[in-house]
C-alpha cells in the first residue's frame, strides 16, 4: 500500500504539475487507519458474539481479497501511466 501511495504522488507530480500534493505518509497512515477500523469492527462483532470464529475468518479473508484486488488494479493503472511518462521522456531525449 505504501508503494502505491508513493507512486500516486510521483504520478500526480508529472500529470498535474500545478496541483497541491499531499504528504504520502499521511495518506498511508489514513489508509492503514481505515483498515484498522475495519479490523476493530470485526473484533468487536466477534467478541460480542454476533458471529462465530468461522465468520471472523471469512470477514478477514474477504477484506484481504478486496484490499488485494484494489492494489492490483492500482498497480495496473500506475504501470500504464509510468509507461506513458517514460515514453514521453524517451521521445524528449532523442
Amino acid at each position: 500500500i505504501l508503494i502505491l501511495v508513493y507512486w500516486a504522488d510521483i504520478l500526480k507530480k508529472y500529470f498535474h504539475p500545478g496541483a497541491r500534493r499531499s504528504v504520502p505518509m499521511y495518506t498511508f497512515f489514513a489508509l492503514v487507519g481505515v483498515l484498522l477500523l475495519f479490523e476493530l469492527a470485526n473484533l468487536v462483532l466477534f467478541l460480542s458474539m454476533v458471529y462465530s470464529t468461522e465468520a471472523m475468518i471469512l470477514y478477514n479473508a474477504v477484506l484481504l481479497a478486496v484490499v488485494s484486488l484494489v492494489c492490483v488494479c492500482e498497480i495496473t493503472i500506475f504501470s500504464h501511466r509510468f509507461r506513458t511518462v517514460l515514453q514521453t521522456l524517451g521521445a524528449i531525449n532523442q
Side-chain angles (χ1 to χ4, degrees):
I1 296 173
L2 182 60
I3 291 172
L4 292 174
V5 170
Y6 274 105
W7 280 11
D9 185 58
I10 291 169
L11 288 170
K12 189 174 184 181
K13 179 174 70 172
Y14 286 113
F15 282 102
H16 308 288
R20 183 174 171 265
R21 293 169 39 208
S22 62
V23 179
M25 286 305 292
Y26 292 152
T27 306
F28 173 71
F29 287 137
L31 290 172
V32 169
V34 168
L35 289 174
L36 285 176
L37 285 176
F38 278 115
E39 283 299 320
L40 184 62
N42 184 26
L43 183 64
V44 167
L45 290 172
F46 172 71
L47 292 177
S48 62
M49 296 185 186
V50 173
Y51 51 71
S52 65
T53 306
E54 291 84 10
M56 183 180 178
I57 293 171
L58 178 64
Y59 180 93
N60 282 333
V62 169
L63 183 63
L64 178 65
V66 168
V67 169
S68 297
L69 184 64
V70 168
C71 287
V72 166
C73 291
E74 291 294 321
I75 287 173
T76 303
I77 292 168
F78 290 159
S79 295
H80 288 286
R81 288 186 180 175
F82 267 118
R83 185 175 58 196
T84 303
V85 169
L86 292 175
Q87 286 173 344
T88 304
L89 289 175
I92 291 171
N93 287 332
Q94 287 189 4

mmCIF file of all heavy atoms in Angstrom, residues 2-3 10-11 14-16 18 22 26 30 43-44 46 53-54 57-59 61 64 68 72-73 77 88 90 93-94:
data_model
loop_
_atom_site.group_PDB
_atom_site.id
_atom_site.type_symbol
_atom_site.label_atom_id
_atom_site.label_comp_id
_atom_site.label_asym_id
_atom_site.label_seq_id
_atom_site.Cartn_x
_atom_site.Cartn_y
_atom_site.Cartn_z
ATOM 1 N N LEU A 2 1.973 1.188 0.744
ATOM 2 C CA LEU A 2 2.869 2.344 0.820
ATOM 3 C C LEU A 2 3.471 2.664 -0.547
ATOM 4 O O LEU A 2 3.552 3.829 -0.951
ATOM 5 C CB LEU A 2 3.967 2.094 1.851
ATOM 6 C CG LEU A 2 4.964 3.217 2.084
ATOM 7 C CD1 LEU A 2 4.249 4.469 2.563
ATOM 8 C CD2 LEU A 2 6.015 2.795 3.091
ATOM 9 N N ILE A 3 3.853 1.636 -1.272
ATOM 10 C CA ILE A 3 4.416 1.855 -2.613
ATOM 11 C C ILE A 3 3.377 2.501 -3.523
ATOM 12 O O ILE A 3 3.698 3.418 -4.289
ATOM 13 C CB ILE A 3 4.914 0.518 -3.207
ATOM 14 C CG1 ILE A 3 6.134 0.034 -2.431
ATOM 15 C CG2 ILE A 3 5.244 0.657 -4.684
ATOM 16 C CD1 ILE A 3 6.587 -1.350 -2.798
ATOM 17 N N ILE A 10 4.085 10.482 -7.083
ATOM 18 C CA ILE A 10 5.016 10.754 -8.190
ATOM 19 C C ILE A 10 4.258 11.048 -9.474
ATOM 20 O O ILE A 10 4.567 11.999 -10.201
ATOM 21 C CB ILE A 10 5.970 9.558 -8.385
ATOM 22 C CG1 ILE A 10 6.942 9.458 -7.200
ATOM 23 C CG2 ILE A 10 6.745 9.684 -9.694
ATOM 24 C CD1 ILE A 10 7.735 8.166 -7.177
ATOM 25 N N LEU A 11 3.238 10.237 -9.765
ATOM 26 C CA LEU A 11 2.466 10.448 -10.988
ATOM 27 C C LEU A 11 1.672 11.745 -10.945
ATOM 28 O O LEU A 11 1.498 12.399 -11.972
ATOM 29 C CB LEU A 11 1.540 9.261 -11.239
ATOM 30 C CG LEU A 11 2.258 7.994 -11.692
ATOM 31 C CD1 LEU A 11 1.305 6.821 -11.683
ATOM 32 C CD2 LEU A 11 2.878 8.185 -13.057
ATOM 33 N N TYR A 14 3.849 14.507 -12.143
ATOM 34 C CA TYR A 14 4.081 14.578 -13.585
ATOM 35 C C TYR A 14 2.821 14.917 -14.381
ATOM 36 O O TYR A 14 2.889 15.647 -15.360
ATOM 37 C CB TYR A 14 4.677 13.263 -14.097
ATOM 38 C CG TYR A 14 6.125 13.102 -13.724
ATOM 39 C CD1 TYR A 14 6.533 12.122 -12.842
ATOM 40 C CD2 TYR A 14 7.078 13.959 -14.245
ATOM 41 C CE1 TYR A 14 7.858 11.985 -12.486
ATOM 42 C CE2 TYR A 14 8.415 13.834 -13.895
ATOM 43 C CZ TYR A 14 8.787 12.843 -13.020
ATOM 44 O OH TYR A 14 10.101 12.724 -12.663
ATOM 45 N N PHE A 15 1.675 14.372 -13.980
ATOM 46 C CA PHE A 15 0.460 14.604 -14.754
ATOM 47 C C PHE A 15 -0.268 15.889 -14.369
ATOM 48 O O PHE A 15 -1.013 16.435 -15.162
ATOM 49 C CB PHE A 15 -0.495 13.406 -14.619
ATOM 50 C CG PHE A 15 -0.095 12.234 -15.472
ATOM 51 C CD1 PHE A 15 0.541 11.141 -14.913
ATOM 52 C CD2 PHE A 15 -0.338 12.236 -16.833
ATOM 53 C CE1 PHE A 15 0.919 10.061 -15.696
ATOM 54 C CE2 PHE A 15 0.032 11.171 -17.625
ATOM 55 C CZ PHE A 15 0.664 10.079 -17.055
ATOM 56 N N HIS A 16 -0.074 16.352 -13.156
ATOM 57 C CA HIS A 16 -0.702 17.591 -12.680
ATOM 58 C C HIS A 16 0.347 18.419 -11.950
ATOM 59 O O HIS A 16 0.365 18.476 -10.721
ATOM 60 C CB HIS A 16 -1.869 17.279 -11.732
ATOM 61 C CG HIS A 16 -2.863 16.313 -12.298
ATOM 62 N ND1 HIS A 16 -3.738 16.659 -13.301
ATOM 63 C CD2 HIS A 16 -3.115 15.015 -12.016
ATOM 64 C CE1 HIS A 16 -4.486 15.616 -13.604
ATOM 65 N NE2 HIS A 16 -4.121 14.597 -12.836
ATOM 66 N N GLY A 18 0.879 21.567 -11.382
ATOM 67 C CA GLY A 18 0.498 22.692 -10.545
ATOM 68 C C GLY A 18 -0.349 22.311 -9.356
ATOM 69 O O GLY A 18 -0.593 23.136 -8.466
ATOM 70 N N SER A 22 -0.286 15.991 -1.574
ATOM 71 C CA SER A 22 -0.365 15.647 -0.155
ATOM 72 C C SER A 22 0.922 14.948 0.274
ATOM 73 O O SER A 22 1.728 14.523 -0.553
ATOM 74 C CB SER A 22 -1.563 14.739 0.105
ATOM 75 O OG SER A 22 -1.409 13.536 -0.619
ATOM 76 N N TYR A 26 1.102 10.654 5.290
ATOM 77 C CA TYR A 26 -0.204 10.937 5.897
ATOM 78 C C TYR A 26 -1.300 10.143 5.201
ATOM 79 O O TYR A 26 -2.207 9.617 5.844
ATOM 80 C CB TYR A 26 -0.520 12.428 5.848
ATOM 81 C CG TYR A 26 0.358 13.282 6.728
ATOM 82 C CD1 TYR A 26 0.614 14.601 6.403
ATOM 83 C CD2 TYR A 26 0.939 12.784 7.882
ATOM 84 C CE1 TYR A 26 1.424 15.393 7.205
ATOM 85 C CE2 TYR A 26 1.751 13.563 8.689
ATOM 86 C CZ TYR A 26 1.985 14.866 8.349
ATOM 87 O OH TYR A 26 2.784 15.638 9.131
ATOM 88 N N ALA A 30 -3.574 7.232 6.885
ATOM 89 C CA ALA A 30 -5.038 7.300 6.809
ATOM 90 C C ALA A 30 -5.613 5.988 6.283
ATOM 91 O O ALA A 30 -6.607 5.470 6.821
ATOM 92 C CB ALA A 30 -5.470 8.467 5.927
ATOM 93 N N LEU A 43 -13.358 -7.368 15.229
ATOM 94 C CA LEU A 43 -13.056 -7.877 16.559
ATOM 95 C C LEU A 43 -14.204 -7.630 17.539
ATOM 96 O O LEU A 43 -14.576 -8.521 18.313
ATOM 97 C CB LEU A 43 -11.766 -7.232 17.081
ATOM 98 C CG LEU A 43 -11.268 -7.711 18.434
ATOM 99 C CD1 LEU A 43 -10.887 -9.181 18.363
ATOM 100 C CD2 LEU A 43 -10.102 -6.871 18.882
ATOM 101 N N VAL A 44 -14.784 -6.448 17.486
ATOM 102 C CA VAL A 44 -15.898 -6.119 18.380
ATOM 103 C C VAL A 44 -17.104 -7.024 18.089
ATOM 104 O O VAL A 44 -17.744 -7.544 19.012
ATOM 105 C CB VAL A 44 -16.279 -4.624 18.248
ATOM 106 C CG1 VAL A 44 -17.612 -4.331 18.907
ATOM 107 C CG2 VAL A 44 -15.182 -3.761 18.838
ATOM 108 N N PHE A 46 -17.012 -9.975 16.804
ATOM 109 C CA PHE A 46 -16.680 -11.332 17.237
ATOM 110 C C PHE A 46 -16.764 -11.466 18.754
ATOM 111 O O PHE A 46 -17.349 -12.418 19.271
ATOM 112 C CB PHE A 46 -15.280 -11.703 16.748
ATOM 113 C CG PHE A 46 -14.779 -12.998 17.293
ATOM 114 C CD1 PHE A 46 -15.319 -14.200 16.873
ATOM 115 C CD2 PHE A 46 -13.769 -13.028 18.249
ATOM 116 C CE1 PHE A 46 -14.872 -15.399 17.386
ATOM 117 C CE2 PHE A 46 -13.318 -14.224 18.761
ATOM 118 C CZ PHE A 46 -13.862 -15.415 18.336
ATOM 119 N N THR A 53 -16.250 -17.853 14.992
ATOM 120 C CA THR A 53 -14.867 -17.804 14.530
ATOM 121 C C THR A 53 -14.790 -17.946 13.014
ATOM 122 O O THR A 53 -13.995 -17.258 12.366
ATOM 123 C CB THR A 53 -14.056 -18.937 15.190
ATOM 124 O OG1 THR A 53 -14.213 -18.861 16.598
ATOM 125 C CG2 THR A 53 -12.590 -18.842 14.837
ATOM 126 N N GLU A 54 -15.609 -18.799 12.459
ATOM 127 C CA GLU A 54 -15.609 -19.004 11.011
ATOM 128 C C GLU A 54 -15.997 -17.723 10.274
ATOM 129 O O GLU A 54 -15.417 -17.383 9.242
ATOM 130 C CB GLU A 54 -16.556 -20.139 10.604
ATOM 131 C CG GLU A 54 -16.101 -21.517 11.032
ATOM 132 C CD GLU A 54 -16.496 -21.840 12.467
ATOM 133 O OE1 GLU A 54 -17.287 -21.075 13.069
ATOM 134 O OE2 GLU A 54 -16.001 -22.855 12.984
ATOM 135 N N ILE A 57 -13.073 -15.304 10.387
ATOM 136 C CA ILE A 57 -12.056 -15.678 9.401
ATOM 137 C C ILE A 57 -12.528 -15.309 7.997
ATOM 138 O O ILE A 57 -11.749 -14.814 7.176
ATOM 139 C CB ILE A 57 -11.720 -17.180 9.518
ATOM 140 C CG1 ILE A 57 -11.031 -17.447 10.857
ATOM 141 C CG2 ILE A 57 -10.848 -17.636 8.357
ATOM 142 C CD1 ILE A 57 -10.852 -18.910 11.177
ATOM 143 N N LEU A 58 -13.805 -15.550 7.709
ATOM 144 C CA LEU A 58 -14.359 -15.189 6.406
ATOM 145 C C LEU A 58 -14.288 -13.679 6.183
ATOM 146 O O LEU A 58 -13.924 -13.215 5.106
ATOM 147 C CB LEU A 58 -15.795 -15.683 6.276
ATOM 148 C CG LEU A 58 -16.514 -15.335 4.976
ATOM 149 C CD1 LEU A 58 -15.817 -16.010 3.802
ATOM 150 C CD2 LEU A 58 -17.969 -15.740 5.056
ATOM 151 N N TYR A 59 -14.635 -12.913 7.204
ATOM 152 C CA TYR A 59 -14.562 -11.446 7.124
ATOM 153 C C TYR A 59 -13.134 -11.001 6.794
ATOM 154 O O TYR A 59 -12.923 -10.159 5.920
ATOM 155 C CB TYR A 59 -15.022 -10.857 8.458
ATOM 156 C CG TYR A 59 -15.007 -9.348 8.525
ATOM 157 C CD1 TYR A 59 -16.136 -8.618 8.219
ATOM 158 C CD2 TYR A 59 -13.860 -8.658 8.918
ATOM 159 C CE1 TYR A 59 -16.138 -7.231 8.287
ATOM 160 C CE2 TYR A 59 -13.847 -7.272 8.990
ATOM 161 C CZ TYR A 59 -14.988 -6.567 8.680
ATOM 162 O OH TYR A 59 -14.974 -5.206 8.752
ATOM 163 N N ALA A 61 -10.789 -12.784 5.373
ATOM 164 C CA ALA A 61 -10.434 -13.237 4.029
ATOM 165 C C ALA A 61 -11.028 -12.321 2.965
ATOM 166 O O ALA A 61 -10.357 -11.971 1.985
ATOM 167 C CB ALA A 61 -10.903 -14.672 3.816
ATOM 168 N N LEU A 64 -9.115 -9.006 3.003
ATOM 169 C CA LEU A 64 -7.821 -9.176 2.351
ATOM 170 C C LEU A 64 -7.977 -9.260 0.839
ATOM 171 O O LEU A 64 -7.195 -8.662 0.090
ATOM 172 C CB LEU A 64 -7.114 -10.421 2.881
ATOM 173 C CG LEU A 64 -5.764 -10.742 2.254
ATOM 174 C CD1 LEU A 64 -4.753 -9.648 2.572
ATOM 175 C CD2 LEU A 64 -5.269 -12.088 2.726
ATOM 176 N N SER A 68 -6.410 -6.590 -1.764
ATOM 177 C CA SER A 68 -5.513 -7.100 -2.810
ATOM 178 C C SER A 68 -6.008 -6.742 -4.200
ATOM 179 O O SER A 68 -5.216 -6.353 -5.067
ATOM 180 C CB SER A 68 -5.377 -8.617 -2.695
ATOM 181 O OG SER A 68 -4.800 -8.961 -1.470
ATOM 182 N N VAL A 72 -4.019 -4.481 -6.924
ATOM 183 C CA VAL A 72 -3.702 -4.957 -8.274
ATOM 184 C C VAL A 72 -4.220 -3.981 -9.324
ATOM 185 O O VAL A 72 -3.520 -3.661 -10.298
ATOM 186 C CB VAL A 72 -4.269 -6.377 -8.494
ATOM 187 C CG1 VAL A 72 -4.265 -6.758 -9.964
ATOM 188 C CG2 VAL A 72 -3.476 -7.381 -7.697
ATOM 189 N N CYS A 73 -5.431 -3.497 -9.150
ATOM 190 C CA CYS A 73 -5.992 -2.528 -10.105
ATOM 191 C C CYS A 73 -5.168 -1.242 -10.125
ATOM 192 O O CYS A 73 -4.859 -0.710 -11.199
ATOM 193 C CB CYS A 73 -7.441 -2.219 -9.757
ATOM 194 S SG CYS A 73 -8.563 -3.588 -10.023
ATOM 195 N N ILE A 77 -3.009 0.393 -13.292
ATOM 196 C CA ILE A 77 -3.224 1.760 -13.771
ATOM 197 C C ILE A 77 -1.932 2.559 -13.696
ATOM 198 O O ILE A 77 -1.540 3.245 -14.652
ATOM 199 C CB ILE A 77 -4.337 2.439 -12.954
ATOM 200 C CG1 ILE A 77 -5.682 1.788 -13.251
ATOM 201 C CG2 ILE A 77 -4.386 3.940 -13.227
ATOM 202 C CD1 ILE A 77 -6.788 2.185 -12.286
ATOM 203 N N THR A 88 7.304 9.408 -23.019
ATOM 204 C CA THR A 88 7.413 10.853 -23.261
ATOM 205 C C THR A 88 8.831 11.339 -22.993
ATOM 206 O O THR A 88 9.385 12.105 -23.780
ATOM 207 C CB THR A 88 6.404 11.619 -22.367
ATOM 208 O OG1 THR A 88 5.101 11.111 -22.622
ATOM 209 C CG2 THR A 88 6.452 13.098 -22.662
ATOM 210 N N GLY A 90 11.516 9.554 -23.104
ATOM 211 C CA GLY A 90 12.367 8.981 -24.142
ATOM 212 C C GLY A 90 12.270 9.760 -25.440
ATOM 213 O O GLY A 90 13.278 9.981 -26.125
ATOM 214 N N ASN A 93 14.202 13.056 -25.040
ATOM 215 C CA ASN A 93 15.665 12.884 -25.022
ATOM 216 C C ASN A 93 16.246 12.562 -26.380
ATOM 217 O O ASN A 93 17.447 12.726 -26.583
ATOM 218 C CB ASN A 93 16.057 11.814 -24.007
ATOM 219 C CG ASN A 93 15.903 12.291 -22.592
ATOM 220 O OD1 ASN A 93 16.008 13.496 -22.327
ATOM 221 N ND2 ASN A 93 15.649 11.376 -21.686
ATOM 222 N N GLN A 94 15.443 12.115 -27.310
ATOM 223 C CA GLN A 94 16.002 11.794 -28.646
ATOM 224 C C GLN A 94 15.977 13.014 -29.465
ATOM 225 O O GLN A 94 16.379 13.749 -29.971
ATOM 226 C CB GLN A 94 15.183 10.718 -29.317
ATOM 227 C CG GLN A 94 15.410 9.386 -28.685
ATOM 228 C CD GLN A 94 14.756 8.278 -29.484
ATOM 229 O OE1 GLN A 94 14.197 8.501 -30.555
ATOM 230 N NE2 GLN A 94 14.827 7.082 -28.963
#
